[in-house]
Structures are given as C-alpha cells and as structure tokens.
Amino acid sequence: MTTLGNRLRLIFAAAVAAVAILGLGATDAHATHFRYGTLRWERISQTDTTVTILATTETAWRLNYESWGSTPTIGTPLTIVPGTSLIVQRTVAPLNQLFNAPLRVTPSSINAAENWFVGSFTYTFTLNKSDLPARIYWDGNARLSSLQDGNGDRGFRAEAIVSATENAASPASSILPIITVGVGPAVKFFIPAADADTLTWSIAPTNRSNLLKAAPDGFPDGATTLSINPTTGEVTWNTAAERAPAVNFEFYAVQFIVRDSKGAETPVDALLRIVPTTGNPPQLLINGVTGAYSVSVRPNNPVSFSVSGTDVDPGASITLNSGARPLGATMTPSLPTTGGSPTSSQFSWMPTFADAGRTEVISFSATDNFGLQDQNSATITVLNDAPTATCLATVNADATGPTGASVTLSTTVADPDGQLMTVRWFVDNVLVRTDPNVSGPATLSLTRVYAIGTHTVRIEVTDGVATSTCTTTVNIIDGPPVLTLPADFSVEATSAAGAVATFVATALDVVDGPRPVTCAPASGSTFPLGQTIVACFAIDASGHRADGSFRITVVDTTPPVLVVPGPIVQEATGPLGNLVTFTATATDTVDPAPTVTCTPASGSRFAVNGPVPDATTVSCTAADHASPPNVSAAQTFTVRIQDTTGPAIPVMPNLEVEATDPGGASATWATPDAIDVVDGPRTLTCVPAPGSTFAINPPGPVTTVTCSSTDTRSNTSQRQFTVTVVDTTGPAIPVMPNLVVEATGPAGAPATWATPDAIDLVDGARTLTCAPTPGGTFAINPPGPVTTVTCSSTDTRGNRSQRQFTV
C-alpha cells in the first residue's frame, strides 16, 4: 500500500475571529450542500462475462437544510431529497444507462460551527464486462453564490471511471469539505490518496467538474495560480495573486482526479478558502508525529490512534475537526472539539469483515482561534483476509476415446478467518456445481468428461465478503498414436556386412484405433556393425504424428573358429631337434583374416623329446579385428621330435673268399663306425666277427654277417653282408719237366713219365690225366713240332687244372 499526500499542512492567517469565518455567509443559506465529494469503486466478484461493483459515495451537506426534517445524526442514513441519483453509464455509444439509484448519505462527521456534515454510502451493482469501461457519477446542486472565478451557484459532477482491467479498484482518497489556506506566493497542501498501484494526480477538466474555470487564475483574471504535482499529489497555490480574503469572497472550487496505473479514477471535489495570516499556525499530530499516519489491520481488530493539535501562540485555542470517517468509528471527545494547546481526541474503530480489503483515508484539521490551520491524514488498510483457492494452471490429458477424457480437478480452499465458504465450479462459463458451507482448509474435486479441445474451469470461492478465483485450463488432446516400440536390442553379426534384424512396431490411437508404423531402417534390413537408430512414426487420421526411436546394435562377439593340425611326429634330424612348420587356420563370420597365434610358433625348433615329456604342446588362439577383439578358446596339439632311427651303418660289400682248406676259409673286413644323427659315431658290432672261419659254399649256405649299432635311446641299426667261401681252384698239379727222349725209330720214340696226383686244397689228392698219355710214341722233332703233353685234374666241384710240358 502506497500512501501519497502524507501531510496536509496549511499555513494561513486569519484577520477575524474563527467563529466569524468558519460559517457560510447568509447569501449561501439556500445551498443544499457544498461542492464536496469523492466517488470510489472496487470489484467484489466477477464471472467470465460480468463484474459486481461496490461503489462508495462521500458527500457533504448543510446541516440545517430544511428538507432533513430533523437534525442529521451520525450513523443514520439519509436519502437526498432533491432526487439526485447515482448513475452508471457506458462511456461509448450508445450511452446506455446501466444503473440508477437515489443518492444517499450516512453522516460520519458533523461540524455544527460550519453548518455541515459529511458522510458516505455504498452501492452494489453488476455490469456486463462488455460494457466496460463505464462512468459512475452523480450531479450535485451547489448553490453557493460566493464562489470565486465565476463558479458560484453552479452544479457539479463527481465522476469516476470503472476500468476494464481485471481485479481493479479506484484509489482511496478523502479530504476535508473545506480546505483553508493562508495568503502567500506558494501555499502547499496535499490531496491524500492510497492504492496498491502507482498513482498520478491531476486537476479535473471542466467537462468533468462542471466548473467554469478548472483552477483559480488570480485577480484580476490571469494565468492559472494553482497546480498539483502529478506524482506526489502536492498542491501549490499562489494565493497572494487572488482577491484579498473577505466574507463571501474567500471560497474557490477545484476538483482533482486521482488515477492509478490500471486506469481507475477517483474524483476529489472540495472547497478551498483563503484567509488572512496572523500569528503562528498550529500543528496537527497523529500519535505525536507530524507526518501522515498509516496502519494495516485485520477485520475484528481495533484501530486506535490519537489526534492532537498544538500552537505556540500564547493563549491560543485549537479546534480539531475531521472529514468523513468510517462508519462505526468514534472520536473521544467527539469532533469538532476546541481547547487550549494541546487539544487531542482519540480515534477508535473496529473494522468488520464487510470492510475487508478496503482502504480508508481520513483527513484531520487543527484550527487555532485566528483561523490558522494545519491538516494531516490517516490511512487505514483493512486487510482482505479473502478466502484462497489454489489449483493447477494447466492440465493436459490425452483423449481416451472419441468422446474425450475423464479428468479430475482438485482445488484447495481456505479462509484465514475460518468463515464458511461457498465454492462454485464453472466449466466454459457454465456453472456445473456449487459446494456450500465448506469449512476450510479443504480439498474439493470435480470429475467430468471433457471433449477433445481446450476448456476453462474457473473455481470461485467466497466467504460472503470477498471472492477469490483460480482457473485451470484443461487441454484434452487428441494426441498422436501411442507407439509401442521394442526396447534397444543387439544382434550378432552374421557377416562383415552386419546382420539382418527384425522387429515389431505398433501404434494405437485412442480415436482411430491401430495405425500403421513406418520405420527406417525397416524390419528385415541388414544393419551394419555398430549402433543404428531406428526412427519410427505413426500418423492418425487427424494428422497427429507420434515419433519414437530405438537402437539396434550389431555386435561381433563370436570368436573365430580355429582349426589346428593333429599331432605332429617327426624324426629327429640332428642333436638339437627339428625346425617344424605347421599350419593353424581360423575363419570368422566378420573378419576375413583373423590373426592366429601359436606358441611355439610355426618354424620354431623343437627339441628331441624323450619319454618325459614325450611331446611338446603347441597352444594356438585366433583373434578377429573387432574392438575389443574376440579371441577363440585356446586349442592345442603336440609336436613330437622322436629318435627312433638307429645309427647309420655304412654299406659293407659282400665278401667272397677262396677256401683254404676243407673247412672253408677265414674272412676279415674293416669295421667302420656307425653314425647316429643324434648321438654321432657309434660302435659297430658284426656277427660273425671279422676273422671267423666261414664254411665252403656249397655244400654249406652262404654265411650272412649281421653288423649292428645301438644309440643312446636304444635304437639299433643293422646291416648285413654275405661271406661266400668258394672253391674255384682246381687241384694243384706238380710241375712236370719237359722230356727229351731219343728217337727210337723213324716214328720217333715212346716217352713215359711218372704221373703224380694232383693235390686239391679241398678234395686232397686227385687223379692227373695226361694227353698224350705216357708210353705213347712221340714224333721226332724236328722235323715235326715239339709235342706238348697236357696233364689235367678236376676236383669234385669241377674245378680243372692242367699243366703242360713238352716231349
């Protein structure tokens, strides 16, 4: 709450006694009331199409006006006899009259010395929002002939503008019916006002105030002498430029307008009076402070403060007075009251729930016996303990079928003062339910079926004094179809190109039923290695589209298939073993060339194995080029480098020896070393041994000699050859000398010789046969040739020997 116009300080001097200057002159006796009045309004409830307004009129009237019939009393309502009405009218054509009621007033402050009373009255009416903004006004009859600037005996209008802005209210403002100022070049006073919004002040134009001149312009007529600060409400008036104050020449009429930032306006119409200046002005204090007083209070809680006037002039007397006060407020002692300095009165008021949310501005004055005056104001804000309603701003729901969806809305209502509440539910401006006599805090729910579209649900809660609303926008959405997609899944690659993946995607629309689903890539496509996002969508008959996606990951988690050779057995080729090569192969569904690793590797040298270990184990694995690589389980095979070969025995030729006796013959030969590929030279042993006697063949068999050698691993080698004892030598024939015999005849001569046995090494003595035979006749040489005698002998094996000699 911002209170402007804190201080109504009036500095003036009075040249005559106060009693003489406070009353209106005899020429004004026929006046019904002064030019004084304010008019304010506030919204107290509303629907989507209507608004209910509470308007408050504040007016001043002559106390002894004969039409009253009796003296007015505080708190007793009066109907204005002249028939003046409060009228509400559109501001645009056609100027329809929307409300008309007799103007009434309930006195709240009486000033018998000045012959006036001031009071207020409230009116309630309902307008269509389409008629806003509207003007609310009454026309008054101010038959005050002593008004200056040609404004005497003129009626006036108090008009406020009801704005179209939601939750607006016009500013609160109130001043004394007569503001008295002294003579000076820059006399100042304030138009107090209060509002939640930013305020601006201005002087009402003549078409609003019904004045001939909107503001004083000096004497004789000249430039305007009075102005108001638009942001503070401070009025500055060069009263020195006006007519010198005198009876029937001291009153001026001015109407001010207080406007808030929402366009709501409150008129403040008042009489201004100029008096001479004598002595020192009094001071008006509220609770001992010269500044304006402001307080906030809850209904049924008392408000109390002191109003006092002081004056430094010796013997000064002070009269306290006030403008309109809230109904039920009291001043003790009652005002006006007069006494020495200081003079005080206590303000007391107990606001009710009917006052909740209202702001009351009360003006007070202190006037000394020379007519000098000071003013101040008190602003009382009665806190609006309005009930509260809270609800969600927006509820979105998907239609559950062609008819829409059932939605449950909840509101929590509470009243700070614990009053019973009435809750009304409006759906699209139609009242659908009323919950009376709700004791809060309470949570209420409303379940309804809403058609597809947007709906406004307004919840109003009232405690009979104030109303609060909350609004929920219900959006029933013919949403897109509901996609049912598989969760992310993986498939194993079946080739380097990836794998074929199949899936099922469905869509169901609550209105249209099942809808086709389009996915890219489609089910049954070949998906490459890695992750692929499958984007799917479905569209219902209304064009609403649902999109979704999932991931298919083609993985390569299958290791290669490894094939290793069977056991490898090789004969040692040297003492260090062998260099062994082998081939282990691998195939993979993705990798065309997986890597095979064997330990020991192919081409390694494998040592000669013994009985323990009897073989070397080769372990192989295969890995593809995935990341991380897939590695096959290890497979093994054995490589045995064995030494099963005996030493190499050189080839030994068969021997043939000549028998040397009947028992055969002795045979000898060179015995070389056997050479073993692992052990090197090894001893060679022959059976029969060299130098043995071998029988003659035939009749005995050929003798086989077996030579063998054994290495350190007990591998034995043999090689054989034969020894044949032969008898190829004929019998030995002794040497027979040549014979020379003397011819004994012409034919020659007979010759004889001894015929020894031939001696065979095997058969012994053998017969020797000579040809010619001994005893034969041999021709004479010459002339004939020498006769050769050939002696021969044959053994049992047919070996024939011969020897010759000549006869």
Side-chain angles (χ1 to χ4, degrees), residues 116-510:
W116 56 259
F117 72 90
V118 64
S120 61
F121 200 82
T122 59
Y123 302 82
T124 301
F125 49 89
T126 300
L127 305 178
N128 291 323
K129 288 184 176 179
S130 60
D131 288 324
L132 298 180
R135 62 171 57 91
I136 176 172
Y137 67 92
W138 85 83
D139 290 316
N141 296 317
R143 299 301 181 185
L144 301 178
S145 54
S146 62
L147 293 182
Q148 300 302 307
D149 294 331
N151 289 320
D153 292 329
R154 295 181 65 88
F156 76 98
R157 170 179 286 200
E159 176 184 302
I161 299 299
V162 180
S163 65
T165 306
E166 293 286 332
N167 301 318
S170 63
S173 183
S174 179
I175 61 175
L176 292 163
I178 301 175
I179 297 177
T180 303
V181 298
V183 177
V187 176
K188 297 180 184 297
F189 59 92
F190 285 89
I191 305 300
D195 195 85
D197 299 314
T198 302
L199 296 179
T200 57
W201 285 260
S202 63
I203 297 173
T206 56
N207 63 343
R208 289 281 296 270
S209 65
N210 203 27
L211 290 170
L212 182 66
K213 294 181 180 179
D217 59 359
F219 181 81
D221 295 346
T224 300
T225 59
L226 182 143
S227 63
I228 189 167
N229 187 312
T231 59
T232 65
E234 183 183 52
V235 178
T236 301
W237 187 12
N238 180 9
T239 57
E242 301 297 345
R243 183 189 299 270
V247 176
N248 292 332
F249 290 98
E250 70 267 41
F251 290 99
Y252 295 79
V254 179
Q255 187 176 105
F256 303 95
I257 293 178
V258 186
R259 179 186 177 93
D260 68 13
S261 58
K262 294 178 180 176
E265 294 180 350
T266 297
V268 180
D269 193 281
L271 289 176
L272 308 182
R273 177 168 53 193
I274 304 175
V275 298
T277 302
T278 300
N280 296 294
Q283 278 192 321
L284 179 65
L285 297 87
I286 300 179
N287 277 352
V289 178
T290 58
Y293 177 72
S294 179
V295 65
S296 296
V297 64
R298 294 186 180 278
N300 294 332
N301 284 271
V303 180
S304 181
F305 54 84
S306 67
V307 178
S308 60
T310 63
D311 196 305
V312 296
D313 293 330
S317 65
I318 298 173
T319 299
L320 296 180
N321 204 359
S322 75
R325 300 191 295 266
L327 295 180
T330 61
M331 300 295 302
T332 306
S334 61
L335 301 184
T337 184
T338 302
S341 177
T343 294
S344 63
S345 181
Q346 190 73 21
F347 175 90
S348 296
W349 182 41
M350 179 76 76
T352 67
F353 286 114
D355 301 304
R358 293 179 60 81
T359 298
E360 299 288 348
V361 177
I362 310 166
S363 293
F364 298 93
S365 67
T367 306
D368 67 13
N369 53 309
F370 293 104
L372 297 179
Q373 188 181 79
D374 188 21
Q375 295 186 4
N376 206 345
S377 65
T379 299
I380 303 173
T381 300
V382 183
L383 298 176
N384 184 10
D385 289 334
T388 59
T390 58
C391 56
L392 295 175
T394 304
V395 172
N396 296 320
D398 290 329
T400 57
T403 60
S406 176
V407 175
T408 299
L409 299 181
S410 296
T411 182
T412 299
V413 296
D415 189 271
D417 306 309
Q419 297 186 93
L420 292 177
M421 298 168 286
T422 298
V423 180
R424 298 194 301 166
W425 303 76
F426 295 84
V427 176
D428 297 330
N429 295 324
V430 176
L431 178 64
V432 297
R433 195 178 83 188
T434 299
D435 298 310
N437 301 320
V438 177
S439 177
T443 299
L444 308 177
S445 297
L446 176 69
T447 300
R448 287 178 61 86
V449 174
Y450 296 84
I452 295 172
T454 299
H455 305 271
T456 299
V457 178
R458 186 179 71 256
I459 302 165
E460 290 185 355
V461 55
T462 179
D463 59 7
V465 176
T467 300
S468 298
T469 64
C470 69
T471 301
T472 298
T473 299
V474 178
N475 296 312
I476 305 300
I477 303 168
D478 175 12
V482 177
L483 278 174
T484 300
L485 303 178
D488 296 350
F489 66 93
S490 300
V491 295
E492 188 70 23
T494 57
S495 69
V500 173
T502 59
F503 53 85
V504 176
T506 61
L508 181 65
D509 189 79
V510 295

Side-chain angles (χ1 to χ4, degrees), residues 506-524:
T506 61
L508 181 65
D509 189 79
V510 295
V511 176
D512 303 324
R515 302 297 296 171
V517 179
T518 301
C519 294
S523 176

